[in-house]
Amino acid sequence: MSTFAAIIAAAGQSKRFRDPNYKKPFVVLDQKAVWLHSAERFLNRDDVKQVIVVIAAEDQEDFFSKFGPNLAILGIDVVAGGRERADSVQNALAKVDSSVDFVAIHDAARPCVTDEEIEKVFRAAEKTGAAILATPITSTIKQSADGQKIQATVSRQDKWLAQTPQVFRLSNLQAAFQNRDAAQPTDEAELMEKAGMDVTIVTGSVLNIKITTKQDLQLAKAVLKVLPKPKLDAPTHPFADDHLWR
C-alpha cells in the first residue's frame, strides 16, 4: 500500500471573506472549525501517515491556544506559511516525512470533500503519479476586465475548474518546487505542468465547494447536512465543543 502525507493549506489572508474577527478556516461550521472538517477526512485513513496544517505566522499563537492539546493527541504538525500559497506549501513540504510516497494538498476552506472523492484521487495518483479533483465548466464564460462590460465570450469546451485534494508523488513535487525560482503558481498542478509533468483529472463534485465569502459558509453548512460523515475510528472525537474556535 502506498503511503500519503496530507497538507491542509490554511495560511491565506481571507480578504474576500470580509470578517474582522475570523479568517475563513477558523470560523465555526456545524459545531467545529472549518479547517477541522477538512483535516478529519484524512486523519483516519490508514494510508495517511502525516497531516500538516499550514497557518499564517500571525495566527499561530491563537491557533495553539485553542487547539494545542488536541493537535498533540491527533499527531497533527503545524507549519508557518509564507507570503503566497506556493511559499506556504513549500514550507510544509520541508516537513513531510521522506518515507511517504505521495503528498496531498487540500484547501482548509474545502470542508465538503468526501471520503469517496479522496479515495478516487488517491488511487489515480498511484497509477499516474499526479492527480487532482476537478469539475467540467458547464456555464457560458464571459471575459470582462472591469466587471461591467463584456469583452468576449470564451469557449467552455475542454475547460475544468480545479479543486483539491491535489495529489502528487512526493519526489516529483519536491523537484518541481526546487526549480520554481520566483514563480507563484495558483495551485500545485500548475507548477507540475510547468515542470513538464502530466497531471490526471479526476471528476469531482460541485459540492466540494471552496469557502470564499460568507454566503459560501451558509452553502457549506447545507451541503454538510447531506454528505456522509467522515469515517472516524474513535467513538468520540477529541475535538469537543469547548475547544471550538469561537
Side-chain angles (χ1 to χ4, degrees):
M1 177 188 294
S2 299
T3 55
F4 296 77
I7 295 172
I8 310 299
Q13 295 302 307
S14 298
K15 292 179 180 179
R16 288 174 290 179
F17 193 66
R18 299 183 184 277
D19 190 313
N21 300 310
Y22 298 104
K23 292 181 179 179
K24 59 191 180 186
F26 311 128
V27 170
V28 173
L29 170 66
D30 194 23
Q31 300 186 341
K32 67 186 70 170
V34 167
W35 77 268
L36 181 55
H37 283 283
S38 298
E40 273 187 344
R41 294 292 179 176
F42 301 91
L43 281 169
N44 285 281
R45 288 186 61 96
D46 291 337
D47 53 1
V48 173
K49 304 304 180 183
Q50 185 181 21
V51 175
I52 301 172
V53 178
V54 190
I55 61 173
E58 65 265 25
D59 295 328
Q60 288 202 11
E61 183 176 352
D62 284 342
F63 190 80
F64 279 106
S65 175
K66 292 291 183 180
F67 299 111
N70 307 94
L71 294 167
I73 292 171
L74 293 176
I76 297 177
D77 297 319
V78 179
V79 173
R83 184 172 60 88
E84 301 289 345
R85 178 191 175 92
D87 303 317
S88 297
V89 172
Q90 190 161 12
N91 289 353
L93 272 179
K95 300 295 184 181
V96 170
D97 191 319
S98 60
S99 67
V100 303
D101 304 303
F102 294 87
V103 59
I105 300 93
H106 186 61
D107 298 323
R110 289 191 187 271
C112 299
V113 68
T114 65
D115 295 329
E116 180 181 5
E117 289 168 326
I118 294 173
E119 178 69 15
K120 288 195 302 182
V121 75
F122 273 27
R123 300 290 79 84
E126 281 184 313
K127 291 180 180 179
T128 67
I132 72 169
L133 291 177
T135 56
I137 294 178
T138 58
S139 299
T140 299
I141 304 172
K142 301 294 185 181
Q143 181 177 328
S144 173
D146 60 8
Q148 297 179 354
K149 182 180 179 181
I150 294 174
Q151 295 174 301
T153 298
V154 182
S155 173
R156 66 190 177 203
Q157 185 175 358
D158 302 328
K159 292 181 176 62
W160 293 70
L161 295 173
Q163 299 180 341
T164 65
Q166 301 194 354
V167 189
F168 310 96
R169 188 172 295 279
L170 175 60
S171 57
N172 290 344
L173 188 61
Q174 288 173 326
F177 267 98
Q178 288 170 1
N179 295 314
R180 79 177 176 104
D181 299 322
Q184 293 291 353
T186 57
D187 68 0
E188 294 66 50
E190 181 184 357
L191 184 65
M192 297 292 276
E193 295 158 31
K194 290 182 177 179
M197 301 180 190
D198 292 334
V199 180
T200 300
I201 286 177
V202 176
T203 303
S205 167
V206 294
L207 299 181
N208 183 18
I209 64 169
K210 184 177 182 180
I211 295 173
T212 302
T213 68
K214 291 185 177 179
Q215 286 182 320
D216 296 331
L217 194 66
Q218 296 303 313
L219 179 57
K221 184 176 181 180
V223 171
L224 285 175
K225 290 182 179 179
V226 301
L227 290 182
K229 298 299 182 184
K231 297 176 182 178
L232 298 177
D233 294 335
T236 57
H237 200 281
F239 281 88
D241 287 349
D242 60 334
H243 291 294
L244 293 176
W245 188 303
R246 297 191 184 278

